[in-house]
């Protein structure tokens, strides 16, 4: 895997302008980088030197102002955040068919998915982030990607998924997984049913992986996405608070 990078400020397409990132955006910056000669656009924010790092993986919309807002929220709590781009520079799909295309390509090429997350982590390291003190978290598609990173044997301290895909691909297991896994899931999620939740629980226990799996009653898929029909304030608040305490408990 080759990675080249160019830190700096730039616009992440029409949805990601510096103005749309809000009052705290001046503390963060957009980052252009390359993985295996392909261009990507991430976002980095750090409140202080040596702050623990959160590697944030986007949902199937690509890296948008939603992930930037979450990064800023974490920075306010004292964490550095690198929001990775797994789709490519300027690729921010809005149509369902396009979202399925881009996620589908990565679901079929798991090595590329891993390379992109490791490339983002290397990019964060080059910016001065403390990658020895790092946790990965993701939403929806990003949650599935985070579990892929855990199965790869990544040395990160922990892995958290919000309403993410939970199925383990054929030929994979959690025998190499390290760190703790936190799963935050909606009981009313019809896209990722409770049957998948139960199977994952059994797989993690069989592999001896430390984990916590929480279900929120009445919460559908994408329950943390502000402004959407699926948003559930109670589940969003509770899951976010649990994630913050999870970070507090990490043995950095």
């Amino acid at each position: 895997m080759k990675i080249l990078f160019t830190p700096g400020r730039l616009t992440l397409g029409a949805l990601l302008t510096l103005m749309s990132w809000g009052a705290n955006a001046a503390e963060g910056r957009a980052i252009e980088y390359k993985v295996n000669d392909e261009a990507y656009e991430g976002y980095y924010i750090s409140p202080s030197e040596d702050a623990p790092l959160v590697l944030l993986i986007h949902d199937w919309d690509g890296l948008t102002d939603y992930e930037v807002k979450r990064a800023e929220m974490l920075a306010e709590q004292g964490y550095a955040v690198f929001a990775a781009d797994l789709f490519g520079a300027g690729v921010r799909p809005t149509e369902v068919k396009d979202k399925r295309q881009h996620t589908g390509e990565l679901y079929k090429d798991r090595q590329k998915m891993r390379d992109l997350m490791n490339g983002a982590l290397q990019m964060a390291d080059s910016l001065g982030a403390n990658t020895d003190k790092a946790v990965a978290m993701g939403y929806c598609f990003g949650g599935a990607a985070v579990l892929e990173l855990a199965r790869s044997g990544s040395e990160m301290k922990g892995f958290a998924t919000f309403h993410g895909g939970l199925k383990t691909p054929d030929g994979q297991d959690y025998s190499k997984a390290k760190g703790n896994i936190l799963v935050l899931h909606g009981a009313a999620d019809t896209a990722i049913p409770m049957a998948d939740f139960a199977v994952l629980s059994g797989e993690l226990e069989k592999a001896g992986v430390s984990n916590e799996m929480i279900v929120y009653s009445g919460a559908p898929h994408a329950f943390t996405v502000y402004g959407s029909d699926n948003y559930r304030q109670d589940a969003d608040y509770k899951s976010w608070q649990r994630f913050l305490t999870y970070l507090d408990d990490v043995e950095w």
Side-chain angles (χ1 to χ4, degrees):
M1 178 182 67
K2 297 186 296 181
I3 175 169
L4 303 174
F5 51 86
T6 306
R9 290 188 176 275
L10 49 97
T11 300
L12 301 181
L15 290 176
L16 291 179
T17 64
L18 292 176
M19 290 181 64
S20 73
W21 292 341
N24 292 328
E27 300 174 8
R29 52 177 167 158
I31 302 294
E32 180 184 50
Y33 63 108
K34 288 187 176 182
V35 180
N36 292 334
D37 296 324
E38 295 183 6
Y40 296 88
E41 296 171 320
Y43 179 80
Y44 180 64
I45 186 168
S46 180
S48 62
E49 293 184 9
D50 203 43
L53 174 69
V54 176
L55 178 68
L56 192 160
I57 311 298
H58 58 75
D59 64 16
W60 74 344
D61 295 337
L63 175 53
T64 68
D65 51 356
Y66 175 80
E67 287 78 20
V68 171
K69 176 60 178 175
R70 291 292 183 178
E72 292 175 347
M73 290 168 65
L74 286 168
E76 291 174 356
Q77 299 298 318
Y79 298 98
V81 183
F82 189 88
D85 172 15
L86 270 58
F87 288 171
V91 180
R92 305 292 182 261
T94 57
E95 299 294 331
V96 170
K97 65 177 182 178
D98 296 324
K99 296 175 184 180
R100 286 176 175 163
Q101 174 192 338
H102 293 296
T103 55
E105 289 173 355
L106 290 174
Y107 282 136
K108 292 177 182 177
D109 190 346
R110 296 287 176 152
Q111 187 56 55
K112 181 177 182 179
M113 184 187 290
R114 294 180 180 191
D115 284 350
L116 291 174
M117 289 184 284
N118 286 320
L121 198 59
Q122 291 177 33
M123 181 68 238
D125 183 71
S126 76
L127 296 170
N130 191 342
T131 53
D132 291 329
K133 298 180 179 179
V135 162
M137 61 96 79
Y139 293 94
C140 300
F141 160 75
V146 164
L147 292 180
E148 181 71 29
L149 189 61
R151 290 190 298 269
S152 75
S154 171
E155 297 287 345
M156 301 187 80
K157 300 291 185 179
F159 307 87
T161 168
F162 292 76
H163 44 77
L166 304 179
K167 285 187 177 180
T168 301
D170 292 341
Q172 289 195 31
D173 58 36
Y174 284 87
S175 60
K176 296 180 181 179
K178 303 170 185 176
N180 183 278
I181 293 177
L182 174 65
V183 177
L184 305 166
H185 190 69
D189 191 331
T190 56
I192 305 165
M194 287 300 298
D196 291 355
F197 183 92
V199 170
L200 176 61
S201 177
E203 291 176 339
L204 294 176
E205 289 303 308
K206 180 180 179 180
V209 178
S210 176
N211 70 90
E212 180 175 349
M213 301 179 65
I214 302 174
V215 176
Y216 299 99
S217 175
H221 188 62
F223 61 81
T224 68
V225 181
Y226 321 117
S228 73
D229 293 339
N230 284 6
Y231 181 69
R232 298 294 185 272
Q233 184 176 19
D234 182 60
D236 178 33
Y237 175 79
K238 288 179 178 177
S239 61
W240 186 254
Q241 292 303 310
R242 179 62 193 100
F243 181 55
L244 293 180
T245 58
Y246 174 80
L247 292 175
D248 287 341
D249 292 340
V250 172
E251 296 182 1
W252 300 109

